[in-house]
Amino acid sequence: ASLSSSARIHLMNSLAKLAERDPWFRVGHWDASVTGLGQKDLVPQFRDILLDKKNSNSLRSIVLDAIYAGRLAEEMLETLLKLAQDDLLVVIERKDAINAILQLGELGNKAVLNIFANLSRSKNDFQVRTHVIRSMYGKGIGPESLAELLEDALNIDIELPFGVLWALDKVVPDDDIISILECFNPPNDSSVTSSDYENNSDVLQVIDELISRAIVFDPVPSPELILDWLDKRKHVGHNYHRQGKNCLQIALKENKSLLAEVTKYYFANSESACEYSHALYEFEKLMVEAVDWSIVLESACSVLFSTDSVNRAFYLEIAFISAFKVGFSALAEFNLLLALRDEPD
């Protein structure tokens, strides 16, 4: 049975007194239902509680839950807007305020978009921006906003909460992935400090998931485009070629035909730009430990033994090192290439 108005008021007064004695009384009971409190007759009291920052988080959380459960955003809109924009407020309360505002439909969407446009790059505002993108992607929030968020995560000078970007790629439809990867521009300097570790790691997870989805599109993106994405990934920073068996490494290794095209394109565009050892070094960094040396060997040999090869020395060294890395199964190729290396110029 629903509570009477007098009972609701009495209950709120009792909760306020409890909060004075025990500010954290709701710990362990954050999911407790407050549906019966979400009524218009408590709006004045709700407003007073939320506008007084001295009130405990437990009491304020009950009020915000009651507003959401009772769909009181229209009556509480001015107060909710103040909460959502207050950079000094705990992030969870700002998120709860935004969730309530979004119940207003188009009006709520416009209000939250206006809030989003004015958020800064502070640690708290960053978390609120992430929440808005998760909640409103495709409703005025698009690829540019997500790409900018990822860039800011790399540039912010403090460590963000663990997992703040976790599974952010899940809100992105396939049609937007290439746009995000094209918009994303990490800093050129990939050197990072220990405090950047989690930020870069979180960004890498999102980028890896997006690239993994993109390389199985039909039609398949060009090798040039894929290498550009992998180069951006490299510039994200820490341990970019030591990520273990992540989704991107698996996706590349499973797609042999794509791996062959990417390998061929990379070395064709590296032969005049750098010497062979540097080309190999950069290739290994780009490819997330997904290099298939038998493919590199085959690709290099196809150019080396073609009649129009103009840079035989480059491909000879690439092929020789690849045969060595392949091992016993490429022994015949290794001996042939070794003999070619010993020939006088």
Side-chain angles (χ1 to χ4, degrees):
S2 60
L3 296 172
S4 65
S5 178
S6 60
R8 284 193 295 271
I9 294 172
H10 177 71
L11 178 56
M12 280 306 305
N13 289 335
S14 298
L15 289 171
K17 291 179 180 178
L18 175 60
E20 291 178 1
R21 299 194 307 271
D22 180 8
W24 297 101
F25 69 89
R26 205 182 183 194
V27 172
H29 306 283
W30 299 108
D31 296 329
S33 174
V34 295
T35 305
L37 291 174
Q39 302 297 325
K40 293 181 180 180
D41 54 1
L42 288 180
V43 164
Q45 193 170 1
F46 286 167
R47 188 177 294 117
D48 291 341
I49 290 172
L50 293 177
L51 291 177
D52 185 353
K53 293 184 179 180
K54 294 179 181 178
N55 285 312
S56 76
N57 294 116
S58 290
L59 181 62
R60 294 166 66 87
S61 71
I62 286 178
V63 170
L64 285 165
D65 286 352
I67 291 170
Y68 186 86
R71 304 186 72 87
L72 299 175
E74 185 174 357
E75 292 80 3
M76 294 290 302
L77 183 57
E78 183 178 349
T79 300
L80 292 172
L81 290 173
K82 287 182 179 179
L83 298 184
Q85 297 173 85
D86 189 346
D87 191 31
L88 299 179
L89 205 61
V90 294
V91 172
I92 188 62
E93 289 187 13
R94 299 175 68 188
K95 290 181 180 180
D96 287 344
I98 286 171
N99 291 341
I101 294 169
L102 289 175
Q103 289 182 316
L104 295 176
E106 189 61 29
L107 174 64
N109 290 346
K110 289 181 180 179
V112 173
L113 286 176
N114 185 60
I115 292 170
F116 182 81
N118 291 286
L119 292 173
S120 71
R121 287 171 169 77
S122 71
K123 181 177 181 178
N124 285 352
D125 274 7
F126 184 95
Q127 295 175 76
V128 176
R129 287 167 62 200
T130 305
H131 181 69
V132 173
I133 290 175
R134 289 186 191 278
S135 303
M136 292 194 63
Y137 192 91
K139 301 176 182 177
I141 302 287
E144 296 83 1
S145 296
L146 198 151
E148 183 181 18
L149 184 83
L150 296 177
E151 291 171 18
D152 287 345
L154 299 175
N155 293 315
I156 198 168
D157 59 359
I158 50 177
E159 185 174 310
L160 296 166
F162 175 75
V164 67
L165 300 176
W166 188 263
L168 191 59
D169 57 285
K170 304 301 182 187
V171 306
V172 179
D174 286 348
D175 289 345
D176 281 358
I177 291 178
I178 291 179
S179 294
I180 292 171
L181 293 172
E182 291 301 287
C183 290
F184 176 62
N185 290 301
N188 288 328
D189 182 10
S190 62
S191 62
V192 293
T193 64
S194 59
S195 63
D196 300 311
Y197 182 92
E198 291 298 346
N199 298 0
N200 288 55
S201 180
D202 282 355
V203 172
L204 276 176
Q205 287 183 339
V206 177
I207 293 299
D208 284 358
E209 290 288 352
L210 294 176
I211 297 176
S212 298
R213 289 166 60 187
I215 63 177
V216 296
F217 284 168
D218 185 15
V220 177
S222 69
E224 180 181 12
L225 199 55
I226 293 171
L227 283 167
D228 181 61
W229 299 338
L230 292 174
D231 186 62
K232 290 182 178 183
R233 180 192 187 279
K234 180 188 72 174
H235 283 96
V236 168
H238 90 91
N239 293 342
Y240 40 68
H241 62 300
R242 295 188 179 90
Q243 288 301 298
K245 293 185 177 180
N246 65 11
C247 60
L248 179 55
Q249 182 188 104
I250 293 169
L252 287 168
K253 285 187 173 182
E254 289 180 346
N255 196 332
K256 297 293 186 183
S257 60
L258 175 63
L259 200 53
E261 289 182 28
V262 170
T263 300
K264 180 179 179 180
Y265 184 90
Y266 173 82
F267 287 107
N269 287 272
S270 299
E271 60 176 288
S272 61
C274 57
E275 55 102 18
Y276 75 90
S277 60
H278 182 73
L280 284 170
Y281 174 72
E282 290 297 326
F283 187 62
E284 288 189 83
K285 288 198 296 184
L286 283 173
M287 298 305 293
V288 205
E289 291 192 342
V291 177
D292 186 322
W293 290 106
S294 62
I295 290 177
V296 179
L297 174 61
E298 181 180 354
S299 179
C301 285
S302 68
V303 178
L304 177 63
F305 296 115
S306 66
T307 56
D308 58 349
S309 176
V310 295
N311 195 348
R312 297 187 75 250
F314 177 86
Y315 283 103
L316 174 58
E317 295 301 329
I318 298 294
F320 178 74
I321 292 172
S322 299
F324 176 80
K325 288 181 175 289
V326 171
F328 185 77
S329 61
L331 182 59
E333 291 89 343
F334 178 82
N335 288 331
L336 173 60
L337 294 164
L338 180 61
L340 289 175
R341 290 177 85 237
D342 292 338
E343 288 182 356
D345 293 337

